[in-house]
Amino acid sequence: MTYVQATLRWIAMPLWVLASVFWASSAQASQFGCKGLQTNKDLPVLEGKDGVFFRIQSDLRMDHRMSDAAIAQLAALSRELAWQGTLLVYLPVPTKGLAMPQALPADAALFGFDPERATRVFEDLIDRMSDAGVLAVNAVPQMRALPSETPPFFAADFHWTGYGARAAAQAIAERLSQDPGYQALPKSEFVSTPQGQERPFSGMRRVLQNNCHDALPQAVTMRFATEKQSGESDGALDLFGATQTDTIALVGTSFSDSEINNFAGFISEATGLDVINYALTGGNQFGAIQDYLTSRDFQQNRPAILIWENPIYNALTRFADQPMRELQAAARGACDTQLDVAGPMQVHLSSDVGPQDTILLDLGQSLARRASFRFTTADGHRRTRVITRTARQTPSGRFFMP
């Protein structure tokens, strides 16, 4: 290979590969005898201080892909819910790099991560959502204020600890305290008490351990239980069919679904309101909220507040605008016009139907997870759009198609 060829090959290398080369040559030896973590094809990770590990693609990301279009869609959803009496609270879960900058190694800069700039970018996202009319929550200050012995995230896992969940709940309560609608709701007293140390399963730690000689830090956190002591509200807490007056509905990911971190209980303790938890592990950004908003239970008995927890790296535009538009239509409620069925699953749409309209396909108690809509125009042009529900979701038999 000539000198010129070698130089061109070096220039053409992706930035993350170059960073990995520099990291390998400059980083200190791993505390746990780990090798090849930063170039692992399944889970590239950077080892930080005190046994804290950061996912390169998620925890060290500077751009969170919250476009103006995504914020506009989120604001539209907030308005649709508000018109029907429900306040939307959006909690973008910060990354470990944002919440625990003190544990970052110096080599994080080689991957382009600047904690101060990342913080400003995150704060700007919160401000942009707030300016658009979304009640968005910034939990970074509360998480950073936690003592080192009670960190917000597990050292070798990407989930938050019970302490991180409590900090996020306190951030929500602080943000809600400024809302007149929340202030008017009857409150109760909730108390959370420690139940002992727990060690939840960590898939991330298992993957990392395969590349490390010594045992990595266990995912250990204090488990809490929250009980209502007294108060004015008496909303039932049964899922799907509960009396939800003056309550909070929680939708989200495994961050909310885990019983060990007690996120729903901490929200009750911080806000004084009953919380019904509809979160879904493995549902990503839309699974839980799709299940809930398209359900008949939501349509018939709406909560006073809907908290949507979603990790900041889960982009709301990942599947174009279809999921957000379906949520907006579901939040809007009942249809204005009943369509006449002309044949097996076939209807004729009037000429004044346009992009502002949505079709609701209600299959009753069907367990269908996929609905295919085939549109044919008068001149024969055809278009097909499909809505699917994952195996983890609860089928409602209801599909909203813009």
Side-chain angles (χ1 to χ4, degrees):
M1 179 184 299
T2 67
Y3 175 79
V4 173
Q5 290 174 324
T7 301
L8 290 176
R9 175 171 293 187
W10 176 263
I11 294 174
M13 292 178 72
L15 179 60
W16 71 269
V17 174
L18 296 177
S20 298
V21 172
F22 284 122
W23 185 91
S25 62
S26 64
Q28 296 181 356
S30 167
Q31 181 181 347
F32 303 93
C34 302
K35 294 183 178 179
L37 290 180
Q38 74 279 11
T39 56
N40 186 296
K41 64 178 182 178
D42 298 318
L43 186 63
V45 170
L46 187 63
E47 182 177 343
K49 302 173 184 176
D50 303 321
V52 178
F53 292 81
F54 298 87
R55 295 170 298 169
I56 294 173
Q57 296 178 359
S58 298
D59 296 323
L60 303 183
R61 180 181 293 178
M62 298 286 289
D63 177 15
H64 300 295
R65 304 178 187 177
M66 199 69 170
S67 65
D68 291 340
I71 292 176
Q73 291 280 13
L74 186 60
L77 174 61
S78 180
R79 290 193 298 271
E80 296 288 1
L81 289 165
W83 287 335
Q84 300 291 337
T86 296
L87 173 66
L88 175 66
V89 177
Y90 188 69
L91 172 68
V93 179
T95 65
K96 190 187 291 188
L98 283 168
M100 302 176 65
Q102 74 283 356
L104 287 166
D107 294 311
L110 296 177
F111 292 86
F113 188 75
D114 180 341
E116 293 185 5
R117 183 172 297 177
T119 300
R120 292 196 297 271
V121 170
F122 188 79
E123 291 172 345
D124 179 67
L125 289 176
I126 298 295
D127 291 341
R128 288 167 55 206
M129 286 187 278
S130 299
D131 291 342
V134 178
L135 200 157
V137 178
N138 180 5
V140 170
Q142 286 83 353
M143 288 185 170
R144 288 186 178 179
L146 291 173
S148 59
E149 62 271 17
T150 56
F153 287 87
F154 293 112
D157 192 87
F158 62 89
H159 288 97
W160 57 26
T161 64
Y163 309 109
R166 171 176 264 174
Q170 292 168 345
I172 290 173
E174 182 177 322
R175 186 70 176 85
L176 273 174
S177 66
Q178 307 167 28
D179 182 78
Y182 165 75
Q183 295 171 4
L185 293 174
K187 309 298 192 301
S188 302
E189 181 184 2
F190 294 83
V191 175
S192 299
T193 56
Q195 305 294 302
Q197 297 282 353
E198 289 274 358
R199 289 187 178 183
F201 171 78
S202 171
M204 175 175 165
R205 180 183 179 276
R206 173 175 290 184
V207 172
L208 297 181
Q209 190 63 70
N210 291 332
N211 295 275
C212 302
H213 180 270
D214 299 329
L216 299 179
Q218 292 280 353
V220 179
T221 187
M222 177 63 69
R223 182 168 187 152
F224 290 83
T226 302
E227 294 184 358
K228 178 189 264 186
Q229 305 300 304
S230 63
E232 303 171 70
S233 64
D234 57 359
L237 295 179
D238 295 330
L239 294 182
F240 294 108
T243 300
Q244 300 179 35
T245 305
D246 299 336
T247 61
I248 293 174
L250 171 63
V251 294
T253 65
S254 55
F255 282 84
S256 297
D257 193 27
S258 171
E259 294 182 359
I260 291 178
N261 64 43
N262 191 46
F263 184 43
F266 286 137
I267 294 175
S268 287
E269 182 181 50
T271 64
L273 299 176
D274 289 310
V275 176
I276 306 174
N277 193 351
Y278 297 96
L280 178 64
T281 297
N284 295 316
Q285 54 269 72
F286 293 117
I289 194 169
Q290 277 180 338
D291 277 2
Y292 181 52
L293 292 193
T294 62
S295 71
R296 292 172 183 81
D297 301 279
F298 167 76
Q299 299 294 338
Q300 297 167 2
N301 200 2
R302 300 185 179 222
I305 299 171
L306 173 64
I307 296 177
W308 185 4
E309 165 267 308
N310 180 42
I312 186 61
Y313 44 79
N314 280 349
L316 297 181
T317 54
R318 180 182 176 187
F319 307 102
D321 66 346
Q322 165 61 38
M324 290 298 293
R325 291 190 62 184
E326 182 178 23
L327 295 180
Q328 293 162 22
R332 192 173 305 126
C335 289
D336 300 321
T337 304
Q338 181 74 31
L339 298 176
D340 295 327
V341 179
M345 303 298 285
Q346 185 179 72
V347 297
H348 292 295
L349 304 179
S350 62
S351 59
D352 60 348
V353 171
Q356 75 280 1
D357 296 302
T358 300
I359 299 173
L360 166 60
L361 173 63
D362 192 334
L363 300 176
Q365 299 301 316
S366 170
L367 298 181
R369 295 184 179 276
R370 185 178 187 274
S372 179
F373 294 78
R374 297 182 177 89
F375 298 93
T376 304
T377 63
D379 56 2
H381 288 89
R382 296 182 178 182
R383 182 168 61 92
T384 300
R385 296 286 296 275
V386 177
I387 299 177
T388 59
R389 306 287 188 241
T390 68
R392 292 178 181 267
Q393 292 182 266
T394 302
S396 66
R398 293 160 59 86
F399 301 86
F400 294 81
M401 170 58 67

